Amino acid sequence: MKKIILALGLLSIGTANAANIDLAKSIVKAKCHLCHGEEGEASSAIYPRLAGQNRNYLVKQLKNFRDGKRKSDTMNEMAKDLKDDQIEALADYFSSKPALTHRVRDKGFAAVGEYLFKKGNRYSGIPACKSCHGEFGQGTDELPRLAGQHKRYVADQLQAFGERARTNDNAIMHTIASKLTEMEIEALALYVSGIKEETKEKQ
């Protein structure tokens, strides 16, 4: 009897997961794919990659877009009618996709970004990015994954934080980003765009 109950429980979980995937896919096809791609890979460097992004972070950002806490002419409109269950389904879908990365050709410049990411800049009071985002840029449940994100998008967000143009999550990030030079922003963005999952295994 216990085996039958367990089997039925697993079946119901599998059915629920399949329903969530189908719900997410229908929303992606209707709203998300033109900018973010069907698998979260993003169609342009100006849009963020969502594949492999942390689930809870995705939920928070979508709710902030929906509720107007994070301002974006495009995303406020796209998210305004999303229900909580739809947001949860989208977060489950994109976070389950394999994270992507970029090939970095300018190794020397990326090394500047790596230094800032791992050690910060004590001369200008910039803390190491890894202290919040992790040694390999994978973030946490509440903080974004940076590893493999588009360079242009990361640079744009750092500039937005520095100028307080980003309307959510800027309490801490403004104090950091406002101290970054343009060169430091570009170097950091380049470095994180090329962080790979294999990095953790090699070190």
Side-chain angles (χ1 to χ4, degrees), residues 122-169:
R122 65 188 179 92
Y123 300 103
S124 56
I126 298 169
C129 307
K130 73 173 188 178
S131 61
C132 289
H133 293 282
E135 182 76 23
F136 305 100
Q138 294 174 341
T140 68
D141 284 345
E142 307 302 327
L143 296 176
R145 174 191 179 88
L146 301 179
Q149 188 56 267
H150 288 314
K151 172 183 176 290
R152 182 75 271 134
Y153 180 76
V154 174
D156 287 347
Q157 290 304 299
L158 285 172
Q159 289 170 347
F161 278 126
E163 298 165 1
R164 285 203 186 281
R166 172 80 179 253
T167 54
N168 76 337
D169 301 335

Side-chain angles (χ1 to χ4, degrees), residues 32-93:
C32 314
H33 77 283
L34 288 177
C35 296
H36 297 289
E38 301 227 353
E39 301 289 312
E41 71 276 16
S43 61
S44 167
I46 65 173
Y47 305 120
R49 279 180 164 171
L50 303 182
Q53 186 55 270
N54 299 322
R55 180 191 180 279
N56 290 352
Y57 181 76
L58 286 172
V59 169
K60 180 180 186 295
Q61 297 308 309
L62 283 170
K63 287 183 177 180
N64 282 179
F65 280 129
R66 180 191 66 188
D67 301 337
K69 293 180 180 178
R70 182 173 175 182
K71 302 297 183 184
S72 166
D73 291 340
T74 302
M75 282 303 302
N76 293 147
E77 180 65 24
M78 287 291 180
K80 69 178 184 180
D81 296 323
L82 289 176
K83 308 298 186 206
D84 284 353
D85 64 322
Q86 294 175 313
I87 287 175
E88 299 277 344
L90 285 169
D92 286 339
Y93 176 77

